[in-house]
Amino acid sequence: MADSNDECSGVGGCSKALTSKTINPNLLKINYAIRGPIMTRLIELQKEVAQGIPKPFDTIIRANVGDSQALGQKPLTFIRQMLALCTYPELFNSPEFPEDVKNRARRILNSFLASSVGSYTDSAGNETVRRDIAAFIERRDGFPADYRHVFFTAGATEAIEDILQLVLTSPEEKPAGIMIPIPQYPIYSALIAKHGAHQINYYLDEDNDWSLDLAELHRALDEARDHCTPRMLCVINPGNPTGQVLNVENMKEIIRFAHDNRLVLLADEVYQENVFRGKEWNSFRKVIMSMEAPYCHTELASCHSASKGCIGEYGYPD
């Protein structure tokens, strides 16, 4: 790791090749607040409480990330049993596992080479599971879904970064402009800094249930054009951290804005099952598919995750 000491004891008193001055400068700009100094102090306090060091409190609740199992949510038995069978097939002989779980696990195992989840899959992920996801999307949206448009990543963060890299510009051009909401989930600003893109902030309307105002999108885009080449519009729906849910008319405005300004629309929809009562959530894909040309052809990438909703699997099987 780089540090402030640029010297080394190598041959001829050479300087280190990797220092705080020579490291990729974009990495030094990254600020991922939910895992920053506050999180570091939280871990220290948890250890001190476990050691019996007196504190004015007995427990600490982590509210920096949406980690439902860390807050006491129990994992779904069906999912854990199926994962156990796929990982260790000898358990198929156990009467502890219901037949419906065994049938699902057999179907998945048989789709892997040599019936082993340890074998390589297609680069986009296991085809059988991708077909199942496409079927889910089709039921959800009411429009046909092609499994070849489904890609697996190790969490939504990796998907967001993959999509971001698609829109980056060459070093000879202005940096790619990425429009993100404020407040935002800080992985967006962190990844934009990591890849040397330009962050375009648009502000949600707190006084109007954190809605997304079309005039604000135009303001942000117009002010950024001199500094970057706008390439992508990121929308978090349901909102994180705000929890708002966009209505269909607002979504149509956003889609028209993205299409007319040649922006790829990235829809972060990982909280689609975590919707407050009285709100109706719709996917951007569903709304786009329901619109007339040319807006039904708007370029869209959307993200979902097994870490949210009622599943809440953050670490395993990520």
Side-chain angles (χ1 to χ4, degrees), residues 251-270:
M251 295 172 73
K252 288 182 178 179
E253 290 179 336
I254 295 165
I255 292 164
R256 295 187 190 101
F257 173 85
H259 183 278
D260 293 346
N261 289 283
R262 301 190 69 226
L263 300 172
V264 174
L265 180 57
L266 171 58
D268 182 335
E269 299 176 333
V270 300

Side-chain angles (χ1 to χ4, degrees), residues 40-230:
T40 301
R41 180 57 180 149
L42 180 148
I43 294 172
E44 293 173 351
L45 288 171
Q46 285 183 319
K47 291 179 179 178
E48 292 172 8
V49 169
Q51 293 167 4
I53 298 175
K55 300 290 180 184
F57 46 83
D58 299 321
T59 59
I60 299 175
I61 298 175
R62 295 192 180 196
N64 63 310
V65 291
D67 192 344
S68 55
Q69 291 193 22
L71 295 175
Q73 176 178 313
K74 300 299 182 184
L76 296 181
T77 303
F78 183 93
I79 293 175
R80 287 298 179 90
Q81 288 180 330
M82 187 182 66
L83 289 171
L85 288 168
C86 289
T87 305
Y88 188 56
E90 294 296 323
L91 293 175
F92 276 101
N93 298 321
S94 171
E96 298 293 325
F97 293 82
E99 285 303 314
D100 61 335
V101 177
K102 290 181 178 180
N103 291 336
R104 181 73 66 89
R106 286 191 189 96
R107 177 173 174 270
I108 292 175
L109 272 176
N110 289 337
S111 68
F112 283 89
L113 294 174
S115 297
S116 173
V117 292
S119 63
Y120 279 120
T121 66
D122 296 337
S123 296
N126 179 280
E127 180 179 325
T128 294
V129 183
R130 286 162 58 214
R131 286 181 180 274
D132 288 345
I133 292 173
F136 156 76
I137 294 172
E138 187 168 324
R139 292 193 304 270
R140 183 195 67 185
D141 295 342
F143 293 97
D146 188 339
Y147 82 93
R148 292 171 295 183
H149 298 165
V150 176
F151 297 84
F152 286 175
T153 57
T157 293
E158 185 176 295
I160 293 167
E161 183 166 19
D162 287 347
I163 297 163
L164 174 61
Q165 292 181 87
L166 290 173
V167 303
L168 294 177
T169 54
S170 67
E172 297 78 24
E173 300 177 285
K174 291 180 181 178
I178 312 298
M179 301 185 70
I180 64 171
I182 303 296
Q184 53 127 358
Y185 181 62
I187 193 61
Y188 288 94
S189 54
L191 291 176
I192 289 170
K194 176 181 176 180
H195 291 285
H198 182 79
Q199 180 174 319
I200 305 174
N201 296 334
Y202 65 86
Y203 294 86
L204 303 179
D205 186 356
E206 181 178 2
D207 295 328
N208 192 22
D209 198 22
W210 297 104
S211 63
L212 203 172
D213 182 61
L214 188 63
E216 171 61 12
L217 286 179
H218 282 288
R219 177 208 63 77
L221 184 63
D222 291 342
E223 291 183 4
R225 288 192 186 279
D226 289 340
H227 309 287
C228 65
T229 302

